[in-house]
Amino acid sequence: MSDKVKELISKCLQARDMAYCPYSRFPVGAAILTTGGAIITGCNVENASYGLTVCAERTAIQRAVVEGYRQFTAIAVTCDIKDRFVGPCGACRQVLMEFGSDWIVYLTKPDGSYKETSLLELLPLAFSPAHLAKN
């Protein structure tokens, strides 16, 4: 495992610890790696009006966009489930696709072990911005 992947995994675990999840008690953390090597984190932020809850992956993307980033290479995602790897929800997969299909995705357990996959594996036959350009 490269030092950058170790850092990405570590930061997604740290972000999970910051989650605001008083209703589900299901903390999630995410860390995004930009093409320039910066790492931007996010955690889930719940709301009493459940539909207004924002997932960790989308929080990280929104933070990255605010900071001026638009190109990414990888994301690490974690939650508290110890016995299997858990991927981003469908909405988050679609949001990631907005910024390209070439993401490496590290599905991370609380102990830091991970499974490497890709966004294309998680979201086959995806709708993307390219579809809007084709009339």
Side-chain angles (χ1 to χ4, degrees), residues 15-93:
R16 182 201 62 213
D17 294 340
M18 300 306 295
Y20 177 75
C21 52
Y23 308 108
S24 72
R25 307 247 188 267
F26 189 79
V28 179
I32 295 173
L33 180 62
T34 70
T35 54
I39 295 176
I40 312 298
T41 60
C43 63
N44 55 321
V45 179
E46 294 183 347
N47 190 282
S49 177
Y50 295 148
L52 298 179
T53 292
V54 180
C55 298
E57 300 89 335
R58 286 183 279 156
T59 300
I61 283 284
Q62 291 165 355
R63 286 187 66 199
V65 168
V66 167
E67 293 180 27
Y69 299 104
R70 301 288 189 280
Q71 296 179 319
F72 310 100
T73 60
I75 184 170
V77 182
T78 192
C79 64
D80 279 347
I81 295 176
K82 297 176 182 172
D83 62 344
R84 63 182 180 264
F85 296 103
V86 179
C89 73
C92 287
R93 294 173 194 202

Side-chain angles (χ1 to χ4, degrees), residues 96-110:
L96 295 174
M97 186 62 70
E98 181 70 19
F99 295 93
S101 61
D102 294 331
W103 292 78
I104 297 169
V105 180
Y106 298 99
L107 307 177
T108 309
K109 291 182 181 177

